[in-house]
Amino acid sequence: MNTSRPPVDGLCQECGFNYDTGDLQGTVTTLIRQSAESSMALTKAAAGPDVNVVRLRPEPEVWSAIEYACHVRDVLEVQRARIAQCLAEDRPVYAPMDRTGRLKELKYEQQDPMVVAAALMKNARDFGAAARVLKPAELGKLGLYNYPVRAPRTLGWLIRHTAHEIQHHRMDIITILAKLEPPIIPAPKAAPTEDADPETAEPTPTADEPPTES
């Protein structure tokens, strides 16, 4: 994962998420749509000429697309469980997610991208279903949150923070794949002009002879 930490209030300059705007229903709808976009980006890349592109890290300290997708999948599951915990307990204290520990223990980089993409979408829908029905009094209920420091946070904030996680890591996944994914169809070579000298014109590659890079 990128070592920089996005904000947990106000405007995120990197991905554009704003904690201070948007209603609950709109925030949840956007969360589910952006989860779908992350899922589709992962499956599209995995279905391309090299499935392992989803496992490549653009830099040693930056997670790969599959690692980010696994993280998002697990964030959605953990946050839905925290909603249930907050509703059931008077003074909930959320256990740390241990994102780096999960990365190693669950071997994110080895997981099947198609399975991860499907689970990501299921968890997004389940989180959305749990968040949409919360009443104003429930949205104001507090739980002790661990990130980035231990502090009481409302369920309303928890939902917005989850939406920020989805939007920020959607940007990460799409940006990484855009840098690493090889083109499916090579760019066509310019056709020779009619008056080209046959002695110097570049030969057209045959089916057994792939075009060379210029």
Side-chain angles (χ1 to χ4, degrees), residues 123-140:
N123 289 356
R125 289 190 293 267
D126 290 346
F127 176 87
R132 286 188 190 280
V133 298
L134 294 173
K135 300 176 176 61
E138 294 170 328
L139 289 169

PDB file of all heavy atoms in Angstrom, residues 123-140:
ATOM      1  N   ASN A 123     -19.806  -7.940  -0.975  1.00  0.00           N
ATOM      2  CA  ASN A 123     -19.604  -7.194   0.261  1.00  0.00           C
ATOM      3  C   ASN A 123     -20.079  -5.746   0.134  1.00  0.00           C
ATOM      4  O   ASN A 123     -20.573  -5.164   1.106  1.00  0.00           O
ATOM      5  CB  ASN A 123     -18.132  -7.236   0.658  1.00  0.00           C
ATOM      6  CG  ASN A 123     -17.706  -8.613   1.133  1.00  0.00           C
ATOM      7  OD1 ASN A 123     -18.517  -9.528   1.241  1.00  0.00           O
ATOM      8  ND2 ASN A 123     -16.420  -8.784   1.399  1.00  0.00           N
ATOM      9  N   ALA A 124     -19.937  -5.162  -1.052  1.00  0.00           N
ATOM     10  CA  ALA A 124     -20.427  -3.794  -1.266  1.00  0.00           C
ATOM     11  C   ALA A 124     -21.950  -3.749  -1.148  1.00  0.00           C
ATOM     12  O   ALA A 124     -22.502  -2.838  -0.524  1.00  0.00           O
ATOM     13  CB  ALA A 124     -19.980  -3.293  -2.637  1.00  0.00           C
ATOM     14  N   ARG A 125     -22.612  -4.717  -1.746  1.00  0.00           N
ATOM     15  CA  ARG A 125     -24.077  -4.749  -1.647  1.00  0.00           C
ATOM     16  C   ARG A 125     -24.524  -5.000  -0.209  1.00  0.00           C
ATOM     17  O   ARG A 125     -25.483  -4.371   0.273  1.00  0.00           O
ATOM     18  CB  ARG A 125     -24.641  -5.819  -2.583  1.00  0.00           C
ATOM     19  CG  ARG A 125     -24.540  -5.459  -4.066  1.00  0.00           C
ATOM     20  CD  ARG A 125     -25.326  -6.425  -4.927  1.00  0.00           C
ATOM     21  NE  ARG A 125     -24.752  -7.768  -4.915  1.00  0.00           N
ATOM     22  CZ  ARG A 125     -23.884  -8.215  -5.805  1.00  0.00           C
ATOM     23  NH1 ARG A 125     -23.479  -7.414  -6.794  1.00  0.00           N
ATOM     24  NH2 ARG A 125     -23.407  -9.443  -5.730  1.00  0.00           N
ATOM     25  N   ASP A 126     -23.839  -5.894   0.497  1.00  0.00           N
ATOM     26  CA  ASP A 126     -24.201  -6.178   1.891  1.00  0.00           C
ATOM     27  C   ASP A 126     -23.966  -4.957   2.777  1.00  0.00           C
ATOM     28  O   ASP A 126     -24.787  -4.655   3.656  1.00  0.00           O
ATOM     29  CB  ASP A 126     -23.379  -7.371   2.412  1.00  0.00           C
ATOM     30  CG  ASP A 126     -23.792  -8.686   1.773  1.00  0.00           C
ATOM     31  OD1 ASP A 126     -24.865  -8.740   1.138  1.00  0.00           O
ATOM     32  OD2 ASP A 126     -23.025  -9.671   1.918  1.00  0.00           O
ATOM     33  N   PHE A 127     -22.851  -4.269   2.564  1.00  0.00           N
ATOM     34  CA  PHE A 127     -22.586  -3.055   3.342  1.00  0.00           C
ATOM     35  C   PHE A 127     -23.655  -2.013   3.043  1.00  0.00           C
ATOM     36  O   PHE A 127     -24.180  -1.359   3.958  1.00  0.00           O
ATOM     37  CB  PHE A 127     -21.200  -2.494   3.015  1.00  0.00           C
ATOM     38  CG  PHE A 127     -20.909  -1.197   3.724  1.00  0.00           C
ATOM     39  CD1 PHE A 127     -20.364  -1.201   5.001  1.00  0.00           C
ATOM     40  CD2 PHE A 127     -21.197   0.028   3.133  1.00  0.00           C
ATOM     41  CE1 PHE A 127     -20.111  -0.010   5.676  1.00  0.00           C
ATOM     42  CE2 PHE A 127     -20.950   1.221   3.793  1.00  0.00           C
ATOM     43  CZ  PHE A 127     -20.397   1.205   5.070  1.00  0.00           C
ATOM     44  N   GLY A 128     -23.977  -1.841   1.762  1.00  0.00           N
ATOM     45  CA  GLY A 128     -24.996  -0.864   1.384  1.00  0.00           C
ATOM     46  C   GLY A 128     -26.336  -1.156   2.023  1.00  0.00           C
ATOM     47  O   GLY A 128     -27.029  -0.244   2.495  1.00  0.00           O
ATOM     48  N   ALA A 129     -26.714  -2.433   2.058  1.00  0.00           N
ATOM     49  CA  ALA A 129     -27.993  -2.804   2.664  1.00  0.00           C
ATOM     50  C   ALA A 129     -28.019  -2.478   4.151  1.00  0.00           C
ATOM     51  O   ALA A 129     -29.043  -2.027   4.691  1.00  0.00           O
ATOM     52  CB  ALA A 129     -28.249  -4.291   2.441  1.00  0.00           C
ATOM     53  N   ALA A 130     -26.887  -2.693   4.845  1.00  0.00           N
ATOM     54  CA  ALA A 130     -26.818  -2.389   6.274  1.00  0.00           C
ATOM     55  C   ALA A 130     -26.810  -0.893   6.538  1.00  0.00           C
ATOM     56  O   ALA A 130     -27.374  -0.419   7.532  1.00  0.00           O
ATOM     57  CB  ALA A 130     -25.565  -3.033   6.873  1.00  0.00           C
ATOM     58  N   ALA A 131     -26.171  -0.121   5.651  1.00  0.00           N
ATOM     59  CA  ALA A 131     -26.046   1.320   5.865  1.00  0.00           C
ATOM     60  C   ALA A 131     -27.323   2.078   5.513  1.00  0.00           C
ATOM     61  O   ALA A 131     -27.682   3.050   6.191  1.00  0.00           O
ATOM     62  CB  ALA A 131     -24.884   1.862   5.038  1.00  0.00           C
ATOM     63  N   ARG A 132     -28.017   1.648   4.480  1.00  0.00           N
ATOM     64  CA  ARG A 132     -29.184   2.396   3.983  1.00  0.00           C
ATOM     65  C   ARG A 132     -30.310   2.502   5.010  1.00  0.00           C
ATOM     66  O   ARG A 132     -31.057   3.474   5.002  1.00  0.00           O
ATOM     67  CB  ARG A 132     -29.730   1.745   2.716  1.00  0.00           C
ATOM     68  CG  ARG A 132     -28.898   1.951   1.473  1.00  0.00           C
ATOM     69  CD  ARG A 132     -29.631   1.423   0.254  1.00  0.00           C
ATOM     70  NE  ARG A 132     -28.807   1.375  -0.935  1.00  0.00           N
ATOM     71  CZ  ARG A 132     -28.536   2.426  -1.708  1.00  0.00           C
ATOM     72  NH1 ARG A 132     -29.006   3.623  -1.371  1.00  0.00           N
ATOM     73  NH2 ARG A 132     -27.776   2.296  -2.776  1.00  0.00           N
ATOM     74  N   VAL A 133     -30.447   1.513   5.875  1.00  0.00           N
ATOM     75  CA  VAL A 133     -31.604   1.470   6.784  1.00  0.00           C
ATOM     76  C   VAL A 133     -31.345   2.176   8.106  1.00  0.00           C
ATOM     77  O   VAL A 133     -32.237   2.221   8.960  1.00  0.00           O
ATOM     78  CB  VAL A 133     -32.024   0.005   7.047  1.00  0.00           C
ATOM     79  CG1 VAL A 133     -32.449  -0.665   5.752  1.00  0.00           C
ATOM     80  CG2 VAL A 133     -30.885  -0.789   7.692  1.00  0.00           C
ATOM     81  N   LEU A 134     -30.160   2.717   8.297  1.00  0.00           N
ATOM     82  CA  LEU A 134     -29.852   3.372   9.559  1.00  0.00           C
ATOM     83  C   LEU A 134     -30.668   4.653   9.724  1.00  0.00           C
ATOM     84  O   LEU A 134     -30.764   5.469   8.805  1.00  0.00           O
ATOM     85  CB  LEU A 134     -28.362   3.689   9.643  1.00  0.00           C
ATOM     86  CG  LEU A 134     -27.426   2.480   9.713  1.00  0.00           C
ATOM     87  CD1 LEU A 134     -25.975   2.926   9.628  1.00  0.00           C
ATOM     88  CD2 LEU A 134     -27.664   1.675  10.989  1.00  0.00           C
ATOM     89  N   LYS A 135     -31.230   4.837  10.916  1.00  0.00           N
ATOM     90  CA  LYS A 135     -32.010   6.028  11.232  1.00  0.00           C
ATOM     91  C   LYS A 135     -31.095   7.123  11.757  1.00  0.00           C
ATOM     92  O   LYS A 135     -29.960   6.849  12.179  1.00  0.00           O
ATOM     93  CB  LYS A 135     -33.088   5.675  12.260  1.00  0.00           C
ATOM     94  CG  LYS A 135     -34.063   4.605  11.783  1.00  0.00           C
ATOM     95  CD  LYS A 135     -35.036   4.237  12.878  1.00  0.00           C
ATOM     96  CE  LYS A 135     -36.073   3.240  12.370  1.00  0.00           C
ATOM     97  NZ  LYS A 135     -35.475   1.984  11.904  1.00  0.00           N
ATOM     98  N   PRO A 136     -31.557   8.390  11.731  1.00  0.00           N
ATOM     99  CA  PRO A 136     -30.696   9.494  12.190  1.00  0.00           C
ATOM    100  C   PRO A 136     -30.092   9.272  13.565  1.00  0.00           C
ATOM    101  O   PRO A 136     -28.907   9.571  13.776  1.00  0.00           O
ATOM    102  CB  PRO A 136     -31.645  10.696  12.170  1.00  0.00           C
ATOM    103  CG  PRO A 136     -32.620  10.367  11.087  1.00  0.00           C
ATOM    104  CD  PRO A 136     -32.829   8.893  11.160  1.00  0.00           C
ATOM    105  N   ALA A 137     -30.867   8.757  14.513  1.00  0.00           N
ATOM    106  CA  ALA A 137     -30.321   8.525  15.853  1.00  0.00           C
ATOM    107  C   ALA A 137     -29.230   7.470  15.826  1.00  0.00           C
ATOM    108  O   ALA A 137     -28.226   7.561  16.558  1.00  0.00           O
ATOM    109  CB  ALA A 137     -31.438   8.096  16.796  1.00  0.00           C
ATOM    110  N   GLU A 138     -29.379   6.464  14.978  1.00  0.00           N
ATOM    111  CA  GLU A 138     -28.368   5.421  14.862  1.00  0.00           C
ATOM    112  C   GLU A 138     -27.108   5.948  14.191  1.00  0.00           C
ATOM    113  O   GLU A 138     -25.989   5.582  14.570  1.00  0.00           O
ATOM    114  CB  GLU A 138     -28.932   4.232  14.087  1.00  0.00           C
ATOM    115  CG  GLU A 138     -30.068   3.522  14.830  1.00  0.00           C
ATOM    116  CD  GLU A 138     -30.776   2.501  13.969  1.00  0.00           C
ATOM    117  OE1 GLU A 138     -30.857   2.717  12.740  1.00  0.00           O
ATOM    118  OE2 GLU A 138     -31.278   1.509  14.519  1.00  0.00           O
ATOM    119  N   LEU A 139     -27.263   6.817  13.213  1.00  0.00           N
ATOM    120  CA  LEU A 139     -26.101   7.396  12.527  1.00  0.00           C
ATOM    121  C   LEU A 139     -25.239   8.221  13.469  1.00  0.00           C
ATOM    122  O   LEU A 139     -24.041   8.380  13.247  1.00  0.00           O
ATOM    123  CB  LEU A 139     -26.565   8.267  11.359  1.00  0.00           C
ATOM    124  CG  LEU A 139     -27.150   7.524  10.162  1.00  0.00           C
ATOM    125  CD1 LEU A 139     -27.819   8.506   9.201  1.00  0.00           C
ATOM    126  CD2 LEU A 139     -26.063   6.731   9.445  1.00  0.00           C
ATOM    127  N   GLY A 140     -25.847   8.732  14.538  1.00  0.00           N
ATOM    128  CA  GLY A 140     -25.099   9.529  15.506  1.00  0.00           C
ATOM    129  C   GLY A 140     -24.463   8.715  16.615  1.00  0.00           C
ATOM    130  O   GLY A 140     -23.756   9.271  17.463  1.00  0.00           O
TER     131      GLY A 140
END
